[in-house]
Amino acid sequence: YPTMAEFYAGKTVAITGGTGFLGQGITEKLLRTCPDISKIILFIRTKRNTDPKERLKQLAMKPAFDILRQSQPNFHEKLSFVSCDLEADDLGLSSDDRRTLRNEVNIFIHSAATLKFNEHLRISYEMNVLCVRRLLKLKWNNLQAFVHVSTAYAHVDRKYMKEEFYDCGIDYLDLEATLKWLGDDAIEKLTPDLLKTRPNTYTLTKALAEDVICRESGNLPTCIVRPSMIIPAWQEPMPGWCTNVYGPTAFIIAYGKGLLRCCLADREINADLIPVDFVVNGVIGAAMKTASEFIHRRRSSGYNKIMSSETARKSTNIQIYHINSSTTNPLNIDKLSKYLVAYCQRVVYDYSVFALQTLPAHVMDTCLSLANQKRQFVKLNGKIQSGMEVMGFFFTTNFQWDRSNADRLLQAFQPGDRKMYNLDVRVFTWKDYFMTYISGAKKFILKEE
Ligand SMILES: CCCCCCCCCCCCCCCCCCCC(=O)SCCNC(=O)CCNC(=O)[C@H](O)C(C)(C)COP(=O)(O)OP(=O)(O)OC[C@H]1O[C@@H](n2cnc3c(N)ncnc32)[C@H](O)[C@@H]1OP(=O)(O)O
Ligand SMILES: NC(=O)C1=CN([C@@H]2O[C@H](COP(=O)(O)OP(=O)(O)OC[C@H]3O[C@@H](n4cnc5c(N)ncnc54)[C@H](OP(=O)(O)O)[C@@H]3O)[C@@H](O)[C@H]2O)C=CC1
């Protein structure tokens, strides 16, 4: 395998979700560490009346690029965009942009998704599953790697996950046909039956998307990266860097602000959290390995007929990489217990929340009202509790992951790259990292010094 910088020299990379947390990290690292990369094309939609062109400008000003801006002030010249709407039939792409993508893109990274756990199944399906089907059909002429970002929690109907495809129990073609004629209310009623033991529509649709990759990617050089819960950066682009409050981040902030005291969690479980820089390295490295092997095989790429799920799973050579922490550097929730009260029994949790959070929130709001100020604590407490409801499943269930493939991926990197694109989480201690996490949340989310 070549070095990462050699591999990406002269390459055109396209990224969906480039405006998101992981996408920003990937874009920054590629530009900073692979100086001869030709171009990065970001899929950007119009959002809150801001068009993609303006959003790209705003993106280049974001903190993710602060370090890069110092060494390469003109880095934005390598960034371009295609205007998209990934929920639309034609992905919202113009015919010119389709042509550009078909002919120019060498590496494609699909990171866009809706991450809302409780999203309506129709929206979650369209964004997380149907969009993947549409992207695979783009008739890529020069593609060397198609990297699909999934999640280590895609198959949470199991307790132990290998880096392989699993039967989802639902055929996405059947589901897609059903969603076409069912109304939104009926879908909502049917959703619990479809989820079975899964906690939410997010995990179901991410699992179905993997089935799409398995059955429909044909000869395209494809791989899947499954990160666990992505949290602020350990080191890159800067310690603590983050852009959202997903996963435990909202709770850590709420805890720091004195709004959270109780957690619906089992102390025995290992929390699988992974700083974003390791995931960025995994995606960049997986693309390099997939493409290098593809170039070596000199197989023609192209879109094939859809295979049955079982045949596809038996015959596939698509590599899957678990980028996680608990396999090699576990974080036991018990270690957090001096900071908060964790209850795994529902009834005890409900009473504790009432006594330690809800009641004080009402008292505080009453004081605010008396002082003629706006009430806020009851509303905030409600948000924290609804967040805890959707996260509770993950805080009370223990999972284990095999990560042999991810370890082999690191071995495929040139010795000089193994540090710069490290995937081995044993290099930090959780105690030290948490100081970084907390100061990152303060700086990048709360905008406090
Ligand atoms: C010291 C305390 C430590 C506590 C630590 C506890 C132990 C840690 C154990 C860790 C175990 C491991 C966890 C594994 C989790 C696996 C997850 C799977 C991995 C993935 O693939 S990533 C997907 C991650 N997705 C999310 O995290 C999304 C979670 N959020 C949602 O689903 C929704 O936002 C939510 C919370 C249901 C609200 O939805 P909705 O009402 O429709 O509104 P919005 O989404 O528009 O958001 C409204 C409002 O809520 C804020 N928000 C977002 N996330 C949370 C949250 N987790 N808790 C509380 N509030 C949240 C959001 O920012 C919005 O705020 P505004 O102020 O803008 O209104
Ligand atoms: N964050 C995490 O903890 C984990 C994430 N993952 C996976 O990693 C990937 C990236 O997640 P992350 O970066 O954290 O998420 P973010 O929410 O930060 O980013 C999501 C990205 O998807 C884009 N997107 C969403 N809907 C559309 C749409 N209809 N059209 C075009 N773009 C759209 C968003 O664009 P816009 O800016 O326009 O909203 C944004 O760029 C996802 O596939 C997720 O499932 C996996 C495990 C854990």
Side-chain angles (χ1 to χ4, degrees), residues 16-24 43-47 55 84-88 110-115 127-128 148-153 202 206 225-231 243-244 246-247 274 279:
T16 67
T19 50
F21 184 31
L22 180 59
Q24 288 183 43
F43 281 61
I44 307 184
R45 61 175 164 174
T46 295
K47 195 172 178 183
R55 288 193 70 197
C84 73
D85 173 4
L86 297 178
E87 283 164 59
H110 178 45
S111 181
T114 170
L115 285 87
M127 184 56 210
N128 293 353
H148 173 73
V149 182
S150 181
T151 163
Y153 290 90
Y202 173 75
K206 291 298 274 191
V225 173
R226 286 186 189 152
S228 59
M229 184 73 230
I230 308 178
I231 51 172
T243 66
N244 62 37
Y246 295 153
I274 183 83
V279 186

Side-chain angles (χ1 to χ4, degrees), residues 365-379:
D365 271 357
T366 308
C367 296
L368 285 176
S369 291
L370 291 172
N372 263 339
Q373 287 184 31
K374 202 169 162 235
R375 298 166 67 91
Q376 50 170 305
F377 289 98
V378 172
K379 193 172 163 201

Side-chain angles (χ1 to χ4, degrees), residues 115-119 150-154 202-203 206 227-230 245-253 255-256 260 263 265 269-273 331 333 336 339-340 380 383-388 390-391 394-395 434:
L115 285 87
K116 259 193 201 176
F117 285 151
N118 55 353
E119 187 60 273
S150 181
T151 163
Y153 290 90
Y202 173 75
T203 51
K206 291 298 274 191
S228 59
M229 184 73 230
I230 308 178
V245 296
Y246 295 153
T249 305
F251 304 130
I252 283 176
I253 291 175
Y255 171 78
L260 175 80
C263 195
I269 75 154
N270 290 324
D272 204 310
L273 311 174
L331 165 69
I333 287 199
L336 297 171
Y339 302 109
L340 80 171
L380 274 171
K383 275 191 188 184
I384 294 164
Q385 281 188 51
S386 65
M388 193 62 79
V390 297
M391 295 301 292
F394 301 97
F395 293 177
F434 265 96

Side-chain angles (χ1 to χ4, degrees), residues 235-247:
Q235 284 187 330
E236 291 183 304
M238 58 200 89
W241 170 73
C242 56
T243 66
N244 62 37
V245 296
Y246 295 153

